């Protein structure tokens, strides 16, 4: 009887493995998978911001650097720039009015030294974006700058789901 049960169990497992294969991801005109939208709902803002800050501080700690704290002026500068990049429909460091990251930080009253700005146009989550930033030598250097004390981070999400992320790193003086 045990042998028959084992055979039936084995046959059932084999048949279960023969089920339909999962549908392949839909492809865009370039032949690459279409992006998966990361929907941000009202009320998610705090959790997203703190996941980014916690992820960044874990990265900094692993490299022997001190933790950063949120800076309200840098957050305001990032929020303005994220929206402006969406309006311009291009990720770049200059505002539609010609402003630089330094000018935007000064406009919102940041009194520290701006060390750098990071931007991204994507459908990725905040932690995937952080991973991409930390994978590039130039943006990783900004994130891990030993002088850094302050952090600003914000985003703008289009109705299509596309995200425009902006971050600024600064040092209190």
């Amino acid at each position: 009887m045990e042998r028959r049960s084992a055979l039936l169990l084995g046959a059932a497992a084999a048949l279960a493995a023969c089920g339909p294969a999962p549908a392949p991801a839909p492809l865009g005109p370039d032949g690459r998978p279409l992006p998966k939208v990361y929907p941000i709902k009202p009320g998610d803002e705090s959790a997203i911001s703190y996941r980014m800050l916690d992820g960044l501080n874990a990265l900094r700690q692993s490299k022997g650097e001190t933790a950063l704290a949120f800076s309200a002026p840098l957050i305001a500068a990032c929020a303005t720039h994220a929206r402006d990049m969406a309006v311009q429909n291009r990720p770049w460091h200059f505002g539609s009015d010609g402003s630089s990251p330094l000018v935007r930080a000064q406009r919102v009253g940041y009194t520290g030294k701006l060390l750098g700005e990071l931007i991204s146009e994507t459908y990725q989550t905040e932690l995937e974006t952080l991973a991409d930033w930390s994978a590039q030598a130039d943006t990783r250097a900004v994130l891990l700058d030993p002088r850094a004390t302050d952090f600003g981070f914000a985003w703008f999400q289009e109705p299509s789901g596309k995200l425009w992320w902006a971050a600024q790193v600064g040092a209190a003086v």
Side-chain angles (χ1 to χ4, degrees):
M1 189 67 168
E2 256 182 64
R3 184 173 180 200
R4 195 178 310 171
S5 295
L7 286 173
L8 286 174
L9 186 59
L15 286 174
C18 293
L27 301 178
D30 60 359
R32 296 174 45 179
L34 291 173
K36 183 178 176 199
V37 173
Y38 174 52
I40 297 176
K41 300 179 291 300
D44 290 348
E45 296 85 3
S46 181
I48 290 170
S49 293
Y50 278 99
R51 270 195 301 271
M52 174 60 89
L53 182 63
D54 291 345
L56 173 56
N57 282 334
L59 174 66
R60 288 181 61 82
Q61 181 182 18
S62 75
K63 301 297 184 185
E65 299 299 342
T66 59
L68 303 185
F70 278 130
S71 161
L74 292 182
I75 292 169
C78 290
T80 299
H81 191 55
R83 186 172 195 55
D84 190 43
M85 286 188 297
V87 169
Q88 296 182 70
N89 196 34
R90 64 177 169 181
W92 75 323
H93 294 283
F94 295 95
S96 56
D97 61 357
S99 62
S100 68
L102 179 60
V103 167
R104 287 190 298 278
Q106 290 170 339
R107 282 182 185 164
V108 294
Y110 184 66
T111 57
K113 176 179 175 64
L114 184 66
L115 301 173
E117 179 179 73
L118 308 163
I119 57 173
S120 180
E121 169 194 17
T122 185
Y123 288 88
Q124 296 178 319
T125 69
E126 64 282 358
L127 294 180
E128 290 169 320
T129 301
L130 177 61
D132 283 350
W133 285 338
S134 62
Q136 300 288 334
D138 57 344
T139 51
R140 183 177 54 251
V142 172
L143 294 171
L144 298 177
D145 192 317
R147 301 170 294 168
T149 56
D150 302 327
F151 184 62
F153 173 68
W155 63 90
F156 177 77
Q157 187 166 39
E158 295 180 359
S160 69
K162 183 191 290 187
L163 284 155
W164 300 86
W165 302 103
Q168 288 189 339
V169 176
V173 287

